[in-house]
Each structure stands twice: as C-alpha cells, then as structure tokens.
Amino acid sequence: MKLTMLGTGAALALKYYNTCFLLEEDGRYLLVDGGGGNELLKRLKSAGADWADIKDIFVTHKHIDHMLGIIWLIRLICNALKKGNYRGEARIYDHEELCALIKNIACALLQEKESRFIGNGLYLIPVADGDKKTVFGRKITFFDIHSSKAKQFGFSLEYAPGKKLVCCGDEPCNAFCAPHVLNADWLLHEAFCLFSQADIFKPYEKNHSTVKDACEAAEKLNVKNLVLYHTEDRSGGKRKELYLKEGSACYGGGLYIPEDLESIEII
C-alpha cells in the first residue's frame, strides 16, 4: 500500500496545500479529505491519480480546509455521470451530520442536472462510532474522536493480516482514540508546530499538538511508525530537519515528516 500526502499544511498555510492524502493499493484508491479548493484536482494529477478512478472517499469533518475540495470532486463525478461516461459508482463516507451538510452544499452550488446524481451513482454513506466496513477492499473501523470543535471521525484500517494504519483526523490523539491507536503499525497524526515554538503558533488554543506532544503519545501507545502533518508553513526548507530532531528525542519508531506530494510505502 502507498500513502501519498497531497497536502500537509494547516488551514492558513500558503506554502503547503491543506492536509489531505491518498491511499493506493492494486489500482484502488481511498481519498481522505480534500483540502480547501480545486487545487485538489491539480494535486491528484501531480500524484499520477485519475480522479475518475477514486471511488472511495472519507471526510473527517466539516472544516473548510478539509471539506471544500470534495465539492469540486463531486462536481466532476456528477458531471461525468450526467454524460454517461463515469465507470462504476463513487462512495463518500462521513458522519451523518456531515453527510447532510455536504449534500446541502452540493445541491445549493451545483446545477440540478448534476446534483441529482447524488444518491444515484454518487453515494453519501453515513458512519457511526465503531462502524466496521469494507472500503477499497480493506476492513476499516470508523471512530468518533469526540472533538470539542466540530464532530470529527478517524479510522483504523487493516492493510494486512494483523497490521493496522490509524488516522486521528486533525486533532491530538485522546482517550477516545487511544484504544484504536494502541500498537498501531502506522499512525497519521497532526503536529501544528515544534514544541519550542508553541508560544509563537499557539497550537493548544486550536486544539492541536506540537511535534513533541504527538511523538510522546505515539511512544506511549507503542506505535511503530508515525507520520506527522497539518503543520505551520514558516519553517521553510528546514521543517523536516527540525521536526525530526525534536521528535526523535522522544519517539523511537519510524518518524516521517512528508512534504506535499511525497509518497510513503506502508509495509
């Protein structure tokens, strides 16, 4: 399985696209979030992925830097369905409240001749806490992270027998996430900035982590590999170097600080 980070930036980052990523295996894709605009379409193309081949999508929560790119993808899918040249069907998984919101926005912004395909070729599938589904050929458990900002879900994906990849959305791993994260082979986790820069970026006011916080949590929960994203963009070309230095001091597993469009083999 391959993980490609389409974007790694926080909401107001300008040097990086908003955090969203693609999981790929045997020609199948799972898109997680869409960033804040049609830059998503460019990112998919740059990653070598045809948007029409993405049949499974998961949206963690309603914040604009995660959701609005999905509306552009819905437009393309519905237009292709209208023209009769879309292969198969598309499925968007998210919690019930978000399903309704995405449908309302799409119906308000798209033409009726396009939006009528929502529920007829493109399906919004609500998930509840603890739901288990088979998505893009893999078993996935969805879980409510109990966000204090906006209802938000993460997931645990079994990518091989006895192997799991966990995504906590864009908030710190908390007591509700911990049972899913424990002993994970891979954890995808936000890290807004360095701990040494917390006074500058104020991550805790936004319910985010520092690199040190995320790495300490991963170490405590025996996570084998940790991918950090959803960051500030003022570290310039030193982000990876600085984050690795701070994180490696408190985490002994494989630590990854990807750039936009960087891919990681999930093994």
Side-chain angles (χ1 to χ4, degrees):
M1 181 178 292
K2 182 171 73 171
L3 164 69
T4 300
M5 294 303 307
L6 302 174
T8 60
L12 298 180
L14 299 178
K15 296 177 183 177
Y16 309 122
Y17 186 52
N18 304 136
T19 293
C20 53
F21 60 87
L22 197 63
L23 290 169
E24 177 185 357
E25 184 176 44
D26 299 329
R28 301 187 304 269
Y29 296 96
L30 171 63
L31 172 65
V32 179
D33 289 341
N38 72 350
E39 174 72 16
L40 171 65
L41 310 180
K42 179 181 177 181
R43 295 285 166 148
L44 290 172
K45 185 175 182 179
S46 296
D50 186 337
W51 64 265
D53 291 332
I54 298 171
K55 306 300 182 185
D56 293 297
I57 301 161
F58 174 60
V59 188
T60 58
H61 63 300
K62 69 178 183 179
H63 289 169
I64 60 177
D65 57 314
H66 293 261
M67 186 189 73
L68 291 189
I70 300 300
I71 302 300
W72 284 92
L73 196 55
I74 288 174
R75 176 185 177 182
L76 288 181
I77 293 170
C78 287
N79 192 50
L81 285 165
K82 175 176 67 72
K83 294 179 178 178
N85 57 13
Y86 188 76
R87 305 180 304 277
E89 59 185 33
R91 298 162 292 274
I92 301 177
Y93 301 87
D94 43 36
H95 60 77
E96 189 171 16
E97 174 188 316
L98 188 50
C99 272
L101 179 61
I102 289 175
K103 183 176 181 180
N104 288 340
I105 291 174
C107 289
L109 297 181
L110 302 182
Q111 299 181 58
E112 190 279 333
K113 61 184 179 182
E114 295 169 333
S115 62
R116 66 188 177 90
F117 288 97
I118 298 175
N120 183 27
L122 187 153
Y123 299 93
L124 292 167
I125 302 173
V127 296
D129 188 31
D131 274 1
K132 300 179 185 295
K133 296 184 181 293
T134 298
V135 180
F136 98 120
R138 292 297 178 185
K139 295 178 182 178
I140 293 186
T141 301
F142 297 99
F143 56 89
D144 189 339
I145 73 166
H146 294 262
S147 169
S148 60
K149 296 188 296 186
K151 191 174 185 65
Q152 182 171 172
F153 272 49
F155 66 87
S156 173
L157 181 151
E158 182 180 326
Y159 65 90
K163 300 280 190 177
K164 68 176 179 180
L165 176 149
V166 182
C167 169
C168 289
D170 82 336
E171 293 194 15
C173 177
N174 57 33
F176 297 101
C177 303
H180 299 281
V181 173
L182 182 65
N183 298 320
D185 296 279
W186 292 85
L187 173 61
L188 311 183
H189 196 286
E190 57 82 33
F192 197 73
C193 65
L194 295 167
F195 181 77
S196 61
Q197 295 179 323
D199 289 343
I200 299 172
F201 294 106
K202 305 186 185 309
Y204 307 126
E205 293 180 4
K206 308 172 184 68
N207 201 20
H208 285 310
S209 305
T210 66
V211 172
K212 181 175 180 284
D213 298 327
C215 287
E216 287 180 340
E219 182 72 18
K220 182 178 179 179
L221 292 168
N222 193 36
V223 171
K224 297 177 180 63
N225 296 281
L226 176 63
V227 181
L228 298 182
Y229 51 50
H230 202 272
T231 74
E232 49 80 25
D233 64 349
R234 284 184 262 169
S235 298
K238 294 185 177 181
R239 178 178 67 164
K240 184 172 294 195
E241 173 189 345
L242 294 172
Y243 282 27
L244 284 171
K245 181 178 180 181
E246 180 170 285
S248 297
C250 51
Y251 174 65
L255 181 57
Y256 298 82
I257 316 296
E259 297 291 343
D260 285 15
L261 295 173
E262 185 173 337
S263 294
I264 300 168
E265 291 296 326
I266 303 299
I267 57 175

